[in-house]
Amino acid sequence: MTDTSTPSGGAPHDGLRHAIAGVSVADLAARHGTPLYVYDAECIRRRCRDLTRPRGDDAWDTVRFAQKACSNLAVLDLVRREGVMVDAVSTGEIRRALAAGYAPHAGRRGGDGLPPAHPIVYTADIFDRPSLDEVARHGIHVNCGSADMLEQLAERMPGAEVTLRVNPGFGHGHSQKTNTGGEGSKHGIWHESIPDVMRRAEAAGLMVTGLHMHIGSGTDLAHLAEVAGTLERVARDIGRSLDTVSAGGGLPVPYRPGEVHADLGGYVALWNATRRRLEEAFGHRIRLEIEPGRYLTAESGYLVTEVRAVKMQGSRKYLLVDAGFNTLARPVMYGAYHPMTLCPGPGSPSAARSREEVAVGGPLCESGDIFTQTDGGFVATRDLPSARVGDLLVIEIAGAYGFVMASNYNSKPLPAEVLVDGGRDRLVRARQTPEDLFRGETV
Ligand code: LLP
């Protein structure tokens, strides 16, 4: 299922990038320093609208952003203004959603007979104690990934409505680490346990109104499409109390040259047909949700770094930049591929450059700190315009699972984040200071 009519974001073919959303990369680096995450607001809006606008007769009623992909408040505010709801997996993510202006509860049922959409849903396989307190304090809707959560919730929110996250017995992801279905995954309630879990929910006095499946991240539509059939079967077992079904997340984005966007029209049509059959079976309207993370923000994000050393190790050339896996963990965790481009630094010739095969690494004291590696940790090289110290290397399609997975390893401060909108750049998260690094520590 591919849709070649939607152009992929794609890095410039000559490998040189001078601007991000109309703002000079060199100016961004000069104003905000490097390493720097830059997000293109218009790109995020476009991706939201891909999903919020109906396609013919088919439409998602709710697009719910899996904020774990990119949870900066400015990004949450932006997607909220696009009518996108939000998922939260922790107390911190609930606080972020509230701080970005999301209401804790659903409003009233609309005239269309659809149940109201929950602005925030807490989705997890456990409640840690603070998250249970937070959910109960604000009356947040919960998507339960284990039966134990039901009794814990019932004690604090008697009579609550809940969603069940079901593990359909199969899954798929871009890496085994992002496959969230099947016996190899800890996620969700095993599909065969649903009758038992329904009895537990009823005994606890909870009403099961939602059903959710998420088989993995970075998968493809062929695998995602298999979910609809299983969800329909489980929904019929649960019965008429259901008023919402969620297809989960996992929509792919093109990272590599030549990859294209998936056929979202075909995907929503498939789910809409499932929803219609359930509506007929239950005799009432069913809300249809999708829960993407990566799709909404990946292509909007750029990690701007500075080349600080160029050296030969035997016959292999290395560019060492000022960002490492502390800044962007995906290559070291999954062997993930990110396009890279070069922006000539101040005083560096900006005309066409020769190209060369280089390995790109960061400053950390581990050999694994390499952005050009394949799954399994093997160092690979990339064909890039030849670079010198002071040039800026831009790591692209870094707006999902980029900043949010950054760490303070090697006592490196978290980078700054900037949102570019209407040709203007705005700092939306200040770079950490060295003092931030040991705040709360004592001797
Ligand atoms: N819903 C649930 C319940 C999830 O666990 C996830 C992702 C999503 C939705 C959103 O999936 P997406 O649409 O973004 O594929 N760190 C990895 C990805 C881990 C995803 C975890 N869950 C990476 O960098 O690829």
Side-chain angles (χ1 to χ4, degrees):
M1 282 193 187
T2 52
D3 176 4
T4 43
S5 64
T6 319
S8 78
H13 289 303
D14 62 359
L16 292 172
R17 175 174 292 285
H18 299 283
I20 296 173
V23 178
S24 138
V25 174
D27 288 352
L28 286 165
R31 275 200 283 279
H32 305 286
T34 56
L36 178 71
Y37 273 99
V38 181
Y39 309 110
D40 172 356
E42 202 46 39
C43 177
I44 299 176
R45 287 192 194 101
R46 250 192 335 268
R47 293 293 164 249
C48 289
R49 290 170 196 174
D50 286 349
L51 296 172
T52 53
R53 65 159 204 250
R55 296 191 173 235
D57 290 339
D58 302 308
W60 304 101
D61 300 311
T62 305
V63 179
R64 185 174 301 288
F65 179 41
Q67 65 168 293
K68 71 194 86 181
C70 186
S71 56
N72 184 288
L73 292 188
V75 171
L76 296 185
D77 174 67
L78 201 158
V79 302
R80 184 179 58 76
R81 289 171 192 276
E82 288 297 312
V84 169
M85 306 288 158
V86 73
D87 178 58
V89 299
S90 62
T91 310
E93 286 195 355
I94 293 174
R95 292 276 171 95
R96 283 183 175 280
L98 294 170
Y102 282 96
H105 312 286
R108 295 219 184 147
R109 191 170 287 262
D112 55 6
L114 272 179
H118 303 290
I120 306 173
V121 171
Y122 174 81
T123 300
D125 295 291
I126 63 158
F127 284 119
D128 52 37
R129 291 178 190 278
S131 64
L132 183 54
D133 288 342
E134 191 75 2
V135 158
R137 182 176 320 128
H138 298 288
I140 306 264
H141 185 81
V142 177
N143 178 7
C144 298
S146 64
D148 293 302
M149 292 175 75
L150 295 172
E151 285 94 11
Q152 293 163 9
L153 183 68
E155 217 171 90
R156 301 291 295 276
M157 288 173 66
E161 297 185 352
V162 290
T163 293
L164 298 184
R165 174 177 180 177
V166 174
N167 180 332
F170 59 87
H172 191 252
H174 68 74
S175 150
Q176 198 40 45
K177 293 173 190 158
T178 66
N179 175 340
T180 57
E183 285 189 18
S185 164
K186 65 179 176 169
H187 293 292
I189 295 168
W190 190 249
H191 57 114
E192 289 164 335
S193 314
I194 288 298
D196 179 47
V197 171
M198 286 301 292
R199 278 191 289 276
R200 277 174 76 169
E202 202 176 319
L206 300 177
M207 168 101 115
V208 177
T209 55
L211 180 61
H212 168 275
M213 288 185 192
H214 170 77
I215 59 161
S217 191
T219 177
D220 51 56
L221 289 197
H223 283 92
L224 287 174
E226 291 173 29
V227 177
T230 311
L231 183 133
E232 186 174 341
R233 265 198 312 283
V234 177
R236 286 173 189 272
D237 287 347
I238 293 178
R240 291 196 70 246
S241 66
L242 278 186
D243 64 21
T244 303
V245 295
S246 172
L251 288 180
V253 302
Y255 283 97
R256 291 178 186 268
E259 287 180 350
V260 292
H261 282 103
D263 172 14
L264 298 179
Y267 190 53
V268 67
L270 171 90
W271 273 99
N272 204 18
T274 305
R275 175 254 294 272
R276 295 275 178 248
R277 284 193 296 275
L278 290 173
E279 287 184 336
E280 213 159 284
F282 297 156
H284 61 73
R285 305 274 325 259
I286 300 268
R287 180 173 284 280
L288 178 62
E289 294 204 4
I290 188 167
E291 192 179 69
R294 185 187 315 271
Y295 185 80
L296 298 187
T297 59
E299 294 159 281
S300 77
Y302 301 79
L303 172 58
V304 180
T305 72
E306 186 186 350
V307 177
R308 299 300 302 157
V310 181
K311 63 180 183 179
M312 298 299 296
Q313 305 287 66
S315 62
R316 188 175 281 170
K317 193 168 198 175
Y318 283 78
L319 299 187
L320 300 187
V321 299
D322 59 3
F325 72 72
N326 57 309
T327 331
L328 176 67
R330 301 192 71 253
V332 66
M333 277 193 76
Y334 318 112
Y337 178 98
H338 285 267
M340 292 176 191
T341 51
L342 201 73
C343 173
S348 212
S350 65
R353 297 198 175 190
S354 59
R355 300 185 69 98
E356 54 189 0
E357 285 287 330
V358 287
V360 178
L364 304 181
C365 56
E366 278 196 40
S367 316
D369 186 26
I370 293 289
F371 290 116
T372 48
Q373 63 181 282
T374 54
D375 202 7
F378 302 100
V379 176
T381 56
R382 192 70 66 83
D383 174 38
L384 286 174
S386 68
R388 54 185 76 178
V389 169
D391 285 341
L392 300 167
L393 180 91
V394 183
I395 304 181
E396 310 211 344
I397 317 195
Y401 308 107
F403 180 90
V404 290
M405 289 172 66
S407 76
N408 287 129
Y409 186 45
N410 277 202
S411 285
K412 296 272 189 188
L414 292 176
E417 293 176 286
V418 161
L419 185 71
V420 178
D421 200 3
R424 286 233 170 82
D425 51 303
R426 182 159 64 88
L427 182 68
V428 292
R429 180 176 167 121
R431 183 178 305 283
Q432 275 187 332
T433 63
E435 291 69 36
D436 290 333
L437 289 173
F438 41 84
R439 176 157 302 130
E441 293 181 30
T442 48
V443 234

